């Protein structure tokens, strides 16, 4: 079990302490003995008899936080005034707002921004609908669409409970890619209704980011929307994950000295992320990929726990039709990619992998196999967490991909654009700087979005899915 504390479980403890030398030390010792981390300590009030302080404390989970509070409450001469969850605090009132770009302080400004001036803009768009990209939010706005059926690791929790995640996604778009995004949480999980609604709202947006929609419905929804709309439709759980995994794998293979065409890759998880990753690695040149679900290895002709999308997957994976559990299939594998759940594979199975094995154990918050237990047996480990080296995080991909697509007014995001994104992410790290603990750039590396956007725009132009001519795209790229 993972023992790391996390800021997502941090809280502020308000304490009234007797004004006596040594009591603050007893409080901090109690917190430390309970396994908590200590952040800022603020002094709020001092009198002759008491001291009031706020202490930021970092825990592992909610139960651990309560254990820390209990430990402090057990101290004499210390009174717990309040406990304030910092994560809940930053979500209070929501995380996003709508803010005007233009001032409305005079009659002139009002007449230009709204009536009568706005009518001229409406007529310009009506005469040439391409103008909508220049004179409205469409040129820089993404819809983040979900039905709440597969939210994080929480499952089918519904649209209202999904809204904090979609707000968060909108923040990531803006903060990392300077792309505006608006959450759209739908009160339906009917495939036809979702498609109909997204088609109806599409005129407002320059792209559609599908999010947290359960498999296999997500595959059909994305495919049908891609066919129906002339703006990019991108299911991040599939393609964002696959792009960043490929980027990390490109650099990992440079370190271990292996080729895409020669490696055996085992994937646990045959949902959106697992199937998209398998397909993307296949396009990138990996010939031996084996996907495993709860019924074991997927192979052509298997009958148990199959659907049309797994049947299609089986046609280009598992060339030797290996059968059995993921633990069995891992023997001799060069790469393991976990996009499933804790316990999907064992440490003992990891030990049977090939020399210089690469393991991406990406379940979050608890990986498929504890990283600290496998470090002695493999060459490279990556996780989905920020508290280990080599974090595989979709935020490395989707802001830049959409920025590049919007910059050239792309009609779609095709495979060439996604491959360009993966190689752009990988190439942010100079080859001489690569190491076992540095195969993927930080999400805070400002070069990532710029390089990804440029590569995506270039690929869009080369594959003729961009509305803008290349000269215009180049000007925008240089400006960015």
């Amino acid at each position: 079990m993972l023992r790391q504390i996390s800021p997502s479980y941090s809280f502020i403890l308000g304490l009234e302490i007797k004004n006596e030398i040594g009591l603050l030390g007893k409080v901090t010792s109690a917190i430390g003995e309970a396994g908590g981390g200590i952040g800022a300590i603020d002094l709020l009030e001092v009198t002759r008899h008491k001291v009031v302080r706020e202490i930021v404390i970092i825990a592992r989970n909610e139960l651990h936080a309560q254990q820390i509070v209990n430990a402090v409450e057990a101290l004499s001469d210390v009174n717990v005034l309040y406990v304030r969850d910092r994560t809940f605090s930053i979500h209070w009132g929501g995380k996003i707002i709508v803010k005007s770009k233009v001032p409305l302080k005079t009659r002139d400004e009002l007449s230009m921004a709204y009536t009568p001036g706005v009518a001229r803009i409406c007529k310009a768009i009506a005469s040439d609908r391409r103008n909508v990209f220049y004179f409205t939010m469409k040129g820089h706005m993404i819809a983040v669409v979900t039905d709440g059926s597969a939210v994080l690791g929480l499952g089918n929790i519904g649209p209202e409970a999904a809204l904090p995640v979609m707000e968060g996604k909108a923040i990531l778009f803006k903060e990392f890619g300077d792309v505006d995004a608006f959450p759209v949480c739908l009160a339906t999980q009917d495939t036809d209704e979702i498609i109909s609604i997204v088609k109806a709202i599409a005129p407002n947006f320059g792209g559609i980011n599908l999010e947290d929609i359960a498999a296999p419905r997500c595959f059909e929804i994305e495919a049908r929307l891609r066919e129906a709309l002339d703006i990019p439709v991108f299911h991040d759980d599939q393609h964002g994950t696959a792009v960043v995994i490929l980027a990390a794998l490109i650099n990992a293979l440079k370190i271990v000295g292996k080729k895409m065409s020669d490696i055996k890759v085992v994937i646990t998880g045959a949902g959106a992320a697992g199937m998209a990753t398998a397909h993307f690695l296949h396009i990138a040149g990996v010939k031996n990929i084996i996907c495993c679900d709860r019924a074991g290895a997927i192979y052509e002709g298997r009958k148990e726990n199959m659907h049309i999308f797994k049947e299609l997957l089986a046609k280009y994976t598992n060339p030797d039709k290996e059968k059995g559990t993921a633990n069995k299939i891992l023997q001799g594998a060069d790469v393991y990619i976990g996009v499933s759940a804790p316990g999907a594979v064992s440490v003992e199975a990891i030990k049977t992998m090939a020399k210089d094995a690469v393991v991406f154990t990406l379940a979050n918050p608890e990986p498929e196999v504890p990283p600290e237990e496998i470090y002695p047996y493999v060459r490279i480990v990556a996780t989905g967490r920020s508290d280990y080296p080599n974090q595989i995080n979709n935020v490395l991909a989707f802001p830049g991909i959409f920025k590049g697509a919007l910059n050239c007014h792309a009609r779609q995001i095709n495979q060439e654009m996604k491959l360009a994104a993966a190689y752009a992410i990988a190439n942010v790290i100079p080859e001489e700087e690569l190491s076992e603990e540095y195969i993927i750039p930080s999400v805070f590396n400002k070069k990532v979005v710029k390089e990804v956007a440029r590569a995506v725009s270039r690929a869009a132009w080369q594959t003729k899915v961009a509305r803008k001519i290349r000269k215009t795209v180049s000007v925008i790229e240089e400006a960015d």
Side-chain angles (χ1 to χ4, degrees):
M1 179 180 294
L2 294 174
R3 307 297 293 177
Q4 281 81 3
I5 57 177
S6 169
S8 63
Y9 292 106
S10 62
F11 60 97
I12 295 173
L13 194 60
L15 301 177
E16 183 182 86
I17 307 171
K18 185 178 180 180
N19 194 349
E20 184 176 294
I21 293 174
L23 276 181
L24 178 59
K26 289 183 179 180
V27 170
T28 57
S29 294
I31 295 168
E33 289 170 5
I38 299 176
I41 301 177
D42 292 321
L43 180 63
L44 303 186
E45 181 184 350
V46 179
T47 70
R48 182 178 178 183
H49 301 290
K50 69 176 182 180
V51 177
V52 178
R53 295 184 183 272
E54 282 190 344
I55 303 179
V56 174
I57 302 173
I58 309 171
R60 293 190 297 271
N61 50 44
E62 291 178 358
L63 176 60
H64 183 218
Q66 187 57 56
Q67 291 170 344
I68 295 169
V69 173
N70 293 344
V72 175
E73 285 181 327
L75 298 174
S76 58
D77 299 320
V78 176
N79 180 31
V80 174
L81 301 176
Y82 51 85
V83 179
R84 187 180 304 131
D85 190 303
R86 296 175 74 214
T87 298
F88 273 82
S89 294
I90 70 166
H91 285 79
W92 184 260
K95 300 188 292 293
I96 61 175
I97 60 173
V98 175
K99 186 176 181 180
S100 173
K101 290 174 61 179
V102 297
L104 293 177
K105 299 183 185 302
T106 68
R107 288 181 181 273
D108 285 353
E109 290 168 347
L110 183 60
S111 69
M112 288 188 290
Y114 199 52
T115 59
V118 72
R120 297 178 57 208
I121 309 302
C122 295
K123 288 191 288 185
I125 295 170
S127 65
D128 185 349
R129 297 199 179 274
R130 289 175 297 181
N131 282 329
V132 71
F133 286 95
Y134 299 99
F135 297 114
T136 75
M137 69 178 188
K138 187 179 181 77
H140 57 84
M141 180 67 74
I142 298 298
V144 182
V145 180
T146 189
D147 64 357
S149 60
V151 180
L152 301 178
L154 305 174
N156 189 354
I157 60 176
E160 293 87 358
L163 185 54
V165 179
M166 302 310 115
E167 286 186 352
K169 196 79 170 191
I171 291 175
L172 296 178
F173 268 114
K174 187 64 178 178
E175 291 298 317
F176 289 96
D178 196 26
V179 172
D180 293 303
F182 194 85
V184 180
C185 298
L186 304 177
T188 178
Q189 294 182 359
D190 179 83
T191 296
D192 291 333
E193 284 188 358
I194 292 171
I195 292 168
S196 178
I197 292 169
V198 174
K199 286 168 62 176
I201 66 172
N204 301 278
F205 301 100
I208 305 294
N209 183 88
L210 300 175
E211 192 82 15
D212 292 349
I213 300 174
R217 287 184 304 107
C218 60
F219 305 125
E220 180 182 355
I221 290 169
E222 184 195 37
R224 288 173 59 184
L225 285 173
R226 281 171 55 90
E227 183 70 24
L229 299 178
D230 66 346
I231 56 174
V233 178
F234 184 86
H235 185 207
D236 185 51
D237 300 309
Q238 292 186 63
H239 311 299
T241 305
V243 165
V244 183
I245 286 175
L246 176 58
L249 185 59
I250 289 167
N251 283 341
L253 294 183
K254 291 177 184 176
I255 293 172
V256 300
K258 297 180 182 181
K259 297 179 180 180
M260 290 277 182
S261 57
D262 298 335
I263 60 174
K264 175 183 177 181
V265 177
V266 176
I267 300 173
T268 58
M275 294 179 70
T277 298
H279 187 237
F280 203 50
L281 294 184
H282 174 70
I283 291 171
V286 182
K287 297 177 180 178
N288 188 5
I289 304 166
I290 303 171
C291 276
C292 300
D293 60 11
R294 292 182 182 87
I298 295 172
Y299 56 89
E300 195 168 12
R302 196 184 84 169
K303 302 298 181 184
E304 183 184 358
N305 194 29
M306 295 291 281
H307 51 63
I308 182 62
F309 299 102
K310 288 183 182 179
E311 290 170 2
L312 293 172
L313 174 74
K315 290 184 180 300
Y316 61 84
T317 60
N318 201 351
D320 299 324
K321 294 189 177 182
E322 293 189 47
K323 302 176 183 178
T325 65
N327 282 337
K328 177 183 176 184
I329 302 297
L330 267 178
Q331 186 170 357
D334 300 281
V335 178
Y336 166 63
I337 299 171
V339 281
S340 48
V345 295
S346 68
V347 175
E348 292 303 314
I350 295 293
K351 292 180 183 179
T352 69
M353 293 179 67
K355 184 182 178 182
D356 294 329
V358 175
V359 172
F360 295 172
T361 178
L362 306 182
N364 217 340
E366 188 173 347
E368 286 81 0
V369 59
E372 53 272 4
E373 295 185 22
I374 62 172
Y375 280 128
Y377 312 111
V378 303
R379 182 79 177 273
I380 295 172
V381 177
T383 74
R385 293 172 57 114
S386 59
D387 50 359
Y388 288 96
N390 299 326
Q391 184 189 19
I392 307 295
N393 192 325
N394 288 19
V395 79
L396 288 165
F398 65 81
I401 289 173
F402 269 104
K403 189 176 183 68
L406 289 172
N407 280 350
C408 65
H409 297 175
R411 294 180 176 86
Q412 61 177 260
I413 296 171
N414 57 29
Q415 295 289 9
E416 291 83 357
M417 294 161 75
K418 289 181 280 188
L419 282 169
Y423 278 92
I425 294 168
N427 291 335
V428 164
I429 304 177
E431 196 158 338
E432 63 273 15
E433 295 182 14
L434 290 173
S435 71
E436 284 81 356
E437 294 192 346
Y438 188 39
I439 61 169
I440 197 78
S442 164
V443 298
F444 298 106
N445 187 326
K446 294 186 182 300
K447 289 180 62 178
V448 173
V449 166
K450 181 181 288 189
E451 294 303 319
V452 170
R454 285 178 174 175
V456 167
S457 292
R458 192 176 301 117
W461 180 81
Q462 291 170 346
T463 56
K464 304 187 187 311
V465 298
R467 290 181 177 86
K468 283 187 176 179
I469 61 173
R470 190 176 190 182
K471 182 178 179 181
T472 309
V473 173
S474 298
V475 171
I476 291 172
E477 288 175 354
E478 291 305 317
D480 290 340

